[in-house]
């Protein structure tokens, strides 16, 4: 298939934009920052290396970017313009949320955009598969509940079996050091796989063009763009999530590891759990378990979460016609 | 220049520095205690008070060295660094107040009233006991929270009679129909000694709070 040069450039730019937006909303390192295991400069260096490596080594497996099952019966075909509209509106909403320092679920933002495009193209409510959305909603509600409960339980367990037995600063020093290493390894694996997965979504649209572009180069560029997203805007999200409650390596471990574990099992079983929602809820669970006060900003996060569907849908409706005109 | 000097010393272990700091602090406090007893007996050689001032200066240098090493360790746990920093600055204030008392006694132009000397000596002994107790707590908090926690209560128990004693002493001297300057300066002397005791109790309270806070972090 011969594809026009300008189209290729447009798609590459869009793919860079998407990876930047996803990177900008990446809260993976928030517990590392909150527990002061690494400072922001170290996090940015670390995350840049992991993002580029993850994109380059894992980004080849192009995953399904848009859930076509979510369109209703009145949408007979999913066009390129629809796909691009969904990706761009999702990315814009991700960037807006990142500017506000709020981590949102990329999946939720994508689904909001699908709903907008579906209703527009399908000329009404029939453009969206509401039964499918309803089924998924169950998991959206369950994600934070699971994050909260898992962290609450793990923290209590660690507290009862390990922390309660510590005696003196030196014991704490030793234990927290061990936890900080475990936390770093866990986060490194999460960041590495997340960068790979997210960049594969971003490059998917370029690969789909089948224009004979060197995939390694595209992966490298999107990897850099993903890390740039973290460097430019992601730091705000990392800081705000890490500040939800006071963290030390052991409590950061208690909130991060069960979340990562449940997310892994969820992905394996094909359950659409939201990592961002689980992490925020797990930090709330942690503050409950420690009976520690939460810092301000939680209500802003919840408000942005609630606005994700309507705002992403609205953005998609606004962007669809201009994009359809170009493509 | 000071920074360059510090860099040379920074190869020292933080444990060594804090151990030396504690020894020096105890030395300064013991010297002050001995000199106050001499002062009560009217046998004080005021030049000897310079020893307390020197000890405070040495502790100041050791504190600076400790803080520098503390913050140089990039991999140290930030909350422990912050807490240890807070502890050393608080403890340093104790020696600062001891030094202030030494300087005050140096310029105090009178002899101590005979009728208050016994209680003043008791207050001085309490102060010394509390400094020793504080140093023991600081050592224990590193390895044994339970013992350190109990020690903070011991410090509080030692302090209790000192407060009563302070007001009795002040009450006695305020009743005197003596030269107002002497009365005023003697009351300052008592207050300066009690300030050390009060500060040590505050530090003991703070340490107790830390001990309670750590397992809930």
């Amino acid at each position: 298939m011969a594809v026009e040069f300008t189209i290729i450039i447009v798609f590459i730019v869009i793919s860079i934009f998407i990876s930047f937006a996803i990177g900008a909303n990446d809260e993976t390192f928030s517990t590392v920052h909150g527990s002061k295991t690494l400072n922001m400069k170290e996090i940015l260096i670390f995350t840049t290396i992991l993002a580029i490596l993850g994109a380059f080594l894992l980004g080849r497996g192009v995953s399904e970017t848009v859930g076509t099952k979510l369109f209703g019966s009145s949408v007979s075909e999913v066009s390129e313009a629809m796909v691009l509209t969904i990706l761009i509106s999702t990315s814009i909403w991700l960037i807006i949320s990142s500017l506000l320092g709020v981590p949102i679920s990329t999946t939720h933002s994508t689904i909001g955009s699908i709903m907008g495009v579906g209703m527009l193209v399908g000329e009404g409510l029939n453009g969206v598969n509401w039964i499918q959305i309803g089924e998924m909603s169950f998991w959206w509600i369950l994600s934070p509940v699971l994050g909260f409960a898992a962290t609450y339980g793990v923290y209590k367990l660690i507290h009862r079996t390990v922390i309660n037995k510590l005696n003196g600063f030196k014991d704490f020093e030793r234990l927290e050091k061990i936890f900080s290493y475990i936390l770093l390894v866990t986060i490194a694996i999460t960041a590495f796989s997340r960068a790979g997965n997210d960049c594969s979504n971003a490059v998917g649209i370029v690969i789909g063009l089948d224009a004979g572009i060197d995939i390694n180069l595209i992966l490298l560029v999107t990897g850099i763009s993903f890390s740039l997203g973290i460097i430019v805007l992601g730091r705000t999200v990392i800081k705000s999530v890490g500040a939800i409650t006071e963290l030390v390596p052991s409590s950061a471990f208690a909130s991060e590891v069960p979340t990562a574990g449940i997310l892994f099992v969820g992905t394996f079983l094909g359950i659409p759990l939201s990592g961002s929602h689980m992490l925020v809820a797990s930090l709330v669970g942690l503050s409950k378990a420690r009976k520690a006060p939460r810092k301000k900003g939680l209500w802003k996060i919840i408000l942005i979460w609630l606005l994700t569907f309507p705002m992403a849908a609205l953005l998609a409706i606004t962007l669809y016609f201009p994009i359809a005109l170009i493509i | 220049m000071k920074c360059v000097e510090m860099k040379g010393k920074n190869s020292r272990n933080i444990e060594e520095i804090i151990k030396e700091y504690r020894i020096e602090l105890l030395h300064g406090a013991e010297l002050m205690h001995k000199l106050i007893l001499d002062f009560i007996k009217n046998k004080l050689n005021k030049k000897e008070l310079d020893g307390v001032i020197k000890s405070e200066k040495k502790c100041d240098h050791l504190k600076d060295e400790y803080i520098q090493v503390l913050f140089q360790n990039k991999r140290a746990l930030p909350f422990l660094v912050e807490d240890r920093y807070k502890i050393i600055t608080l403890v340093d204030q104790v020696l600062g107040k001891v030094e202030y008392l030494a300087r005050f006694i140096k310029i105090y132009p009178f002899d101590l009233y005979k009728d208050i000397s016994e209680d003043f000596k008791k207050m001085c002994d309490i102060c010394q006991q509390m400094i020793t107790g504080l140093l023991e707590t600081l050592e224990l908090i590193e390895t044994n929270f339970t013992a350190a926690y109990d020690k903070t209560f011991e410090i509080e128990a030692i302090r209790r009679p000192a407060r009563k004693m302070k007001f009795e002493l002040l009450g006695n001297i305020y009743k005197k129909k003596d030269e107002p300057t002497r009365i005023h300066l003697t009351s300052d002397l008592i207050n300066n000694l009690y300030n050390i005791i009060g500060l040590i109790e505050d530090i003991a309270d703070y340490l107790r709070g830390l001990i309670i806070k750590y397992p809930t972090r």
Side-chain angles (χ1 to χ4, degrees), chain A residues 72-138:
Chain A
S73 55
S74 60
V75 179
S76 52
E77 193 191 356
V78 181
S79 66
E80 276 180 346
M82 287 165 76
V83 174
L84 274 185
T85 306
I86 292 159
L87 291 174
I88 293 171
S89 51
T90 300
S91 304
I92 291 173
W93 183 239
L94 279 172
I95 286 180
I96 293 169
S97 311
S98 307
L99 282 167
L100 295 166
V102 175
I104 59 163
S105 162
T106 310
T107 315
H108 294 188
S109 188
T110 310
I111 289 163
S113 303
I114 291 174
M115 284 158 74
V117 171
M119 284 192 282
L120 189 70
V121 177
E123 294 171 350
L125 293 174
N126 284 340
V128 179
N129 184 348
W130 295 105
I131 295 167
Q132 187 77 30
I133 299 270
E135 275 176 28
M136 290 176 93
S137 304
F138 171 74

Side-chain angles (χ1 to χ4, degrees), chain B residues 162-198:
Chain B
R163 192 178 167 82
K164 197 180 161 209
M165 225 174 267
K166 172 194 161 183
F167 285 104
E168 279 173 4
L169 283 168
L170 288 176
N172 271 339
I173 58 167
Y174 290 158
K175 277 180 208 155
K176 290 186 191 296
K177 305 230 177 326
D178 199 357
E179 193 185 335
T181 315
R182 188 176 183 190
I183 292 171
H184 175 73
L185 291 181
T186 309
S187 74
D188 276 356
L189 182 71
I190 294 160
N191 281 325
N192 288 337
L193 180 61
Y194 185 77
N195 284 346
I196 303 169
I197 294 170

Side-chain angles (χ1 to χ4, degrees), chain A residues 155 159 167 169-170 176 246, chain B residues 15 141-143 145 215 217:
Chain A
Y155 177 80
H159 197 262
N167 210 355
F169 282 166
K170 283 185 179 160
E176 293 297 348
E246 195 187 313
Chain B
E15 310 266 337
I141 205 168
E142 291 288 334
T143 51
F145 274 165
R217 272 182 182 272

Side-chain angles (χ1 to χ4, degrees), chain B residues 47-59:
Chain B
K47 277 192 178 167
E48 280 185 70
L49 287 163
D50 288 339
V52 179
I53 298 164
K54 266 186 199 159
S55 184
E56 196 270 343
K57 269 189 186 157
K58 196 175 172 192
C59 276

